[in-house]
Amino acid sequence: MIDPDTQSLIEGLLRIQEKHIIIKKETVDTLLKQEDFDPAFRTNLENYLNIAQVYYALPKGTLKEDIPLSISIKELAKLSNVSSLEKTYHILHEDDRELSCILKNCLTAPTAPKDASESE
């Protein structure tokens, strides 16, 4: 027979299937006040919550949902360019398709003719 505390932990682990945990603010506040909450984990959570007041951790998958790839990639690129993300010199394997889409659109997009004032 499994004791209630172990059963609760197992039930919690079975719910972790996503990259994000969606939880009400009041529930988190209550958890943070509990003395049996691990201090290191509490610190990590508090640090994240403090950052969240200034920054957002926006999940790319949610932003891209139900939007054509060519549009979502362009908008994600704009958002990333003004974000606090560091520039890197590699593309994640899962983002290969997005990079390919950007390059194809860039290479196949017709160049706009110069205005008469620009060519003078």
Side-chain angles (χ1 to χ4, degrees):
M1 182 121 153
I2 298 174
D3 65 271
D5 290 339
T6 303
Q7 182 175 345
S8 177
L9 289 174
I10 292 169
E11 289 171 356
L13 287 175
L14 290 172
R15 295 178 75 158
I16 300 176
Q17 298 175 16
E18 302 293 328
K19 289 184 178 182
H20 298 88
I21 297 172
I22 299 171
I23 188 168
K24 289 182 179 180
K25 182 185 180 325
E26 62 192 41
T27 305
V28 172
D29 292 342
T30 302
L31 278 173
L32 289 172
K33 292 176 187 170
Q34 293 179 359
E35 291 184 22
D36 63 342
F37 208 57
D38 180 77
F41 192 85
R42 175 185 286 121
T43 299
N44 286 348
L45 182 55
E46 288 172 337
N47 287 342
Y48 177 80
L49 295 174
N50 289 335
I51 290 170
Q53 293 175 4
V54 178
Y55 294 96
Y56 293 107
L58 303 171
K60 292 187 305 185
T62 301
L63 297 171
K64 298 186 316 185
E65 201 168 291
D66 298 328
I67 298 175
L69 182 64
S70 60
I71 294 170
S72 66
I73 291 312
K74 184 172 77 172
E75 298 307 318
L76 280 173
K78 284 188 219 172
L79 191 60
S80 294
N81 273 335
V82 296
S83 75
S84 296
L85 293 172
E86 292 183 22
K87 291 184 180 174
T88 63
Y89 296 99
H90 65 278
I91 301 292
L92 296 175
H93 178 67
E94 62 197 43
D95 293 335
D96 280 351
R97 204 176 98 182
E98 285 82 352
L99 176 62
S100 177
C101 181
I102 290 171
L103 292 174
K104 283 179 184 174
N105 284 339
C106 176
L107 296 174
T108 60
T111 56
K114 290 185 177 181
D115 290 343
S117 60
E118 288 181 11
S119 59
E120 292 175 357

